[in-house]
Amino acid sequence: MSAHGGGQAGALAAMLDRFCPMHLVIGPTGKILHAGPTLARIIAPEAIMGARFLEVFEITRPRGVQDAGGLRALDGVRLRLRMRAHPRYALKGQLCAVPPDDSGAGPGPMVVNLAFGISLVDAVRDFGLTGADFAVTDLATEMLYLLEAKTVAMEESRRLNHRLEGARQAAQEQALTDTLTGLRNRRAFETVLARAVQGQTAFALLLLDLDFFKRVNDTHGHAAGDLVLGVAARRMLSAVRVQDIVARVGGDEFALLLPGMETATAVNTVARRLIAGLEEPISDGVRHYRISASIGATLSRDHPGAPPEAIMDAADRALYAAKAAGRGCHRLHRPEDDTPTAAGCPPQGGVCAQGAAMRSR
Amino acid sequence: MNGLINRAIECFVRDSYGDALWQEVTEALGIDETAFEPLMPCDPEVTARLVAALSARFGREAADLLEDLGTYLVTQPRSEVIRRLLRFGGVDFAEFLESLEDIPDRARLAMSDFDLPAINLHMEGAGLYRVEIGRTARAGLWFGPVLLGVLRAMADDYGALVLLDYRGCDASREIIEVHLLDEAHASGRDFDLATAGTAR
């Protein structure tokens, strides 16, 4: 690696090698005389011995160092450097100009001690450095340890967050979903309605009660009732658009929020389609069940500035009127007389003729 | 810290004895799965019950199980990180032994609530060490047997030939005797300071 002198000078050089394994000794003319053992592992000594320091290293801070005189002037300054052959590793260092010896023969040598700063991890990996390549007092190993330990802890924390987020979403989904039908539940619907009332988009609110559901439930049992509810939910979903919200707000009571729907004609069309879909027989493979539905609807544009409860109330009154008109009817709440209009009861002979048993709401 | 300890025990039992047995034991104890969340706190009492139940189920001394756990933690590929973090302690086994006293501090650096008992190393003579581990009820288990397993596995890792002896405990500490016979008995496993995982 170098030609250490004997005696005290040799001992000092060996000490430097031990304490500062990444140091360089530079001659008065700026040529490299010696490289510490770790540096010599990184840069082949034969390639740099005798080379000019500034040809092997680029000093990036301070700039503009051109020659040996400039180097000497850096005595004590905090340096940033790069190896020209490996520019990606940022080095930091400090230079110490050794005073000339007593013989008075011109300037003495210079010693530069180098260290990998934040590029330590890359350098250790790329140059295969080991604990023995660092001075005993160097914190490089501790830094690598800490980095690795923290990486593991962070990764574990990330995983935990991921799991918790999944659990949170599932819990929220569960809290807002009716488990039997997979539709939103009343709580979710209240949120949706409150948001829609706050928003700018007009919407239609429909309240739908299944007709004859109680009969199915009472006659054929809860399993049949559950089946009917599930099928009814799917049919309602397929009768509306993707952006429409369908919620089960009671045993056989449903609520629908249809954003952007603002004419009586459009609402009537949807209501007819819903009722027609629900009146299709439902089969469990053995029996056929027949139900129908009553719908009360209202348009948000008829309730400017009204709270969600008032809009619900209007739809509820319309539903009441629909039921009064017989099964399978729908009514739209009309604001001018606050009396529901006869919007579309099926012609006589249909389920309407069977009369309506009013249910108190 | 006990979430992490419980999780370590879970991995050890699942890998060594199978998932079915693990389920059997934890279900019988009625332990909630959050007890095995590494970053979550957990009552040490759960760990104590778990160790006792496993010991009873396998008909083995708890100390034997815990020693196996220690060895497992160092040798399993999926807990490679533990071996790596321990290997940062020294370039050879003797230096590693000297770093044992730092383990509680190092563990705290990695996870601030990781509260391992104090470890003291005493040189008894050439190649003869006495490791004293503070006794604590805080963790729900004794660390001495776990450390014994860890030392056994780490000696292999460094390629050192050692005799290890768990000398039992008194009121305040557990004692392990280490006789380092041959530092470079075998070639040991490689250790790179930086891994592809940490250096990007």
Side-chain angles (χ1 to χ4, degrees):
Chain A
M1 238 168 284
S2 81
H4 286 149
Q8 199 170 29
L12 281 172
M15 190 169 78
L16 264 185
D17 274 351
R18 186 180 297 168
F19 288 169
C20 308
M22 283 188 55
H23 80 281
L24 287 163
V25 181
I26 305 169
T29 60
K31 288 183 173 169
I32 296 172
L33 302 180
H34 171 75
T38 301
L39 212 50
R41 259 175 60 105
I42 295 169
I43 314 177
E46 56 273 17
I48 56 168
M49 232 43 87
R52 288 188 64 226
F53 174 81
L54 290 171
E55 282 166 3
V56 180
F57 292 90
E58 177 196 0
I59 300 181
T60 54
R61 289 276 189 292
R63 291 180 186 282
V65 181
Q66 301 286 353
D67 52 22
L71 268 181
R72 185 170 299 276
L74 295 178
D75 182 60
V77 175
R78 189 175 274 262
L79 305 178
R80 290 174 164 273
L81 320 86
R82 292 178 191 286
M83 291 177 274
R84 293 188 188 275
H86 306 283
R88 62 176 290 215
Y89 310 102
L91 296 167
K92 49 190 208 167
Q94 198 174 27
L95 181 146
C96 186
V98 181
D101 58 21
D102 294 340
S103 63
M110 294 169 270
V111 178
V112 180
N113 192 28
L114 300 175
F116 291 106
I118 206 68
S119 64
L120 175 73
V121 180
D122 292 338
V124 163
R125 179 196 54 204
D126 296 351
F127 299 120
L129 301 180
T130 70
D133 287 318
F134 295 96
V136 171
T137 50
D138 194 316
L139 292 178
T141 317
E142 281 78 2
M143 175 175 152
L144 292 170
Y145 162 82
L146 203 52
L147 180 81
E148 199 158 326
K150 285 296 179 194
T151 305
V152 176
M154 280 291 285
E155 179 58 24
E156 195 52 59
S157 167
R158 202 188 57 74
R159 273 193 225 119
L160 172 64
N161 276 323
H162 194 72
R163 281 195 291 274
L164 291 179
E165 177 56 18
R168 190 191 67 80
Q169 277 180 5
Q172 191 172 22
E173 196 62 29
Q174 210 167 24
L176 299 177
T177 305
D178 168 51
T179 43
L180 177 61
T181 59
L183 297 175
R184 314 290 176 93
N185 61 17
R186 175 180 283 278
R187 206 166 107 198
F189 191 78
E190 279 166 1
T191 309
V192 168
L193 179 62
R195 204 172 296 151
V197 168
Q198 300 282 318
Q200 300 297 317
T201 314
F203 62 88
L205 170 68
L206 277 64
L207 294 182
L208 182 153
D209 274 14
L210 296 183
D211 297 327
F212 312 120
F213 172 74
K214 192 170 181 316
R215 196 170 69 190
V216 172
N217 220 22
D218 291 349
T219 315
H220 303 287
H222 288 300
D226 289 354
L227 169 84
V228 166
L229 283 172
V231 173
R234 282 199 294 281
R235 289 190 185 167
M236 279 185 258
L237 284 174
S238 64
V240 298
R241 303 161 303 171
V242 199
Q243 67 266 37
D244 296 335
I245 304 292
V246 183
R248 182 176 175 221
V249 295
D252 56 356
E253 301 161 40
F254 297 83
L256 295 88
L257 193 131
L258 317 175
M261 198 155 285
E262 48 186 334
T263 68
T265 324
V267 171
N268 288 339
T269 308
V270 175
R272 267 197 300 273
R273 195 160 63 225
L274 282 164
I275 293 171
L278 292 169
E279 286 181 347
E280 289 289 321
I282 295 169
S283 169
D284 61 5
V286 180
R287 286 194 194 83
H288 293 289
Y289 308 104
R290 299 189 82 100
I291 56 164
S292 183
S294 302
I295 297 175
T298 190
L299 299 171
S300 67
R301 63 166 195 204
D302 294 335
H303 310 277
E309 303 77 44
I311 303 177
M312 278 295 260
D313 219 41
D316 205 32
R317 285 199 301 279
L319 175 62
Y320 191 86
K323 282 175 168 289
R327 306 295 167 93
C329 293
H330 63 97
R331 288 290 184 275
L332 181 67
H333 167 262
R334 216 170 55 171
E336 48 269 32
D337 52 11
D338 219 31
T339 308
T341 62
C345 195
Q348 53 271 83
V351 278
C352 274
Q354 299 176 10
M358 209 56 62
R359 185 165 47 92
S360 63
R361 294 175 59 83
Chain B
M1 139 175 105
N2 274 78
L4 184 62
I5 292 175
N6 295 349
R7 175 76 181 145
I9 295 174
E10 175 182 355
C11 291
F12 163 63
V13 174
R14 280 185 189 274
D15 284 357
S16 312
Y17 300 93
D19 294 341
L21 202 142
W22 172 252
Q23 253 155 15
E24 178 199 318
V25 172
T26 48
E27 272 167 24
L29 288 173
I31 301 181
D32 186 77
E33 64 179 23
T34 56
F36 304 101
E37 198 57 77
L39 297 184
M40 298 288 239
C42 176
D43 188 347
E45 191 262 331
V46 172
T47 308
R49 279 169 53 214
L50 187 61
V51 172
L54 290 168
S55 162
R57 176 64 180 78
F58 300 139
R60 295 183 62 190
E61 291 289 326
D64 284 352
L65 272 180
L66 293 176
E67 184 181 340
D68 283 359
L69 170 67
T71 304
Y72 166 88
L73 288 176
V74 174
T75 51
Q76 275 307 297
R78 79 158 152 174
S79 52
E80 164 78 4
V81 61
I82 296 177
R83 171 187 98 88
R84 283 193 55 80
L85 292 178
L86 287 169
R87 279 288 293 250
F88 276 105
V91 294
D92 55 38
F93 190 71
E95 204 179 308
F96 167 73
L97 283 176
E98 283 157 21
S99 78
L100 285 178
E101 295 185 343
D102 300 338
I103 282 183
D105 283 338
R106 281 178 177 265
R108 242 189 313 279
L109 273 179
M111 271 176 72
S112 55
D113 71 338
F114 208 14
D115 189 17
L116 292 175
I119 299 175
N120 288 301
L121 184 80
H122 301 274
M123 282 284 269
E124 302 276 85
L128 196 60
Y129 303 83
R130 192 176 77 245
V131 184
E132 295 181 2
I133 304 107
R135 268 186 69 177
T136 168
R138 290 193 302 265
L141 52 73
W142 289 11
F143 279 104
V146 182
L147 184 62
L148 184 68
V150 165
L151 289 175
R152 210 179 283 294
M154 287 306 287
D156 269 4
D157 211 86
Y158 278 105
L161 181 65
V162 294
L163 282 177
L164 297 168
D165 192 10
Y166 184 72
R167 303 302 296 265
C169 54
D170 60 25
S172 62
R173 67 216 162 127
E174 299 175 78
I175 295 167
I176 296 172
E177 212 170 68
V178 182
H179 197 173
L180 178 52
L181 298 172
D182 186 355
E183 181 95 78
H185 174 70
S187 58
R189 281 171 73 189
D190 284 339
F191 176 65
D192 294 328
L193 276 185
T195 66
T198 53
R200 325 204 146 88

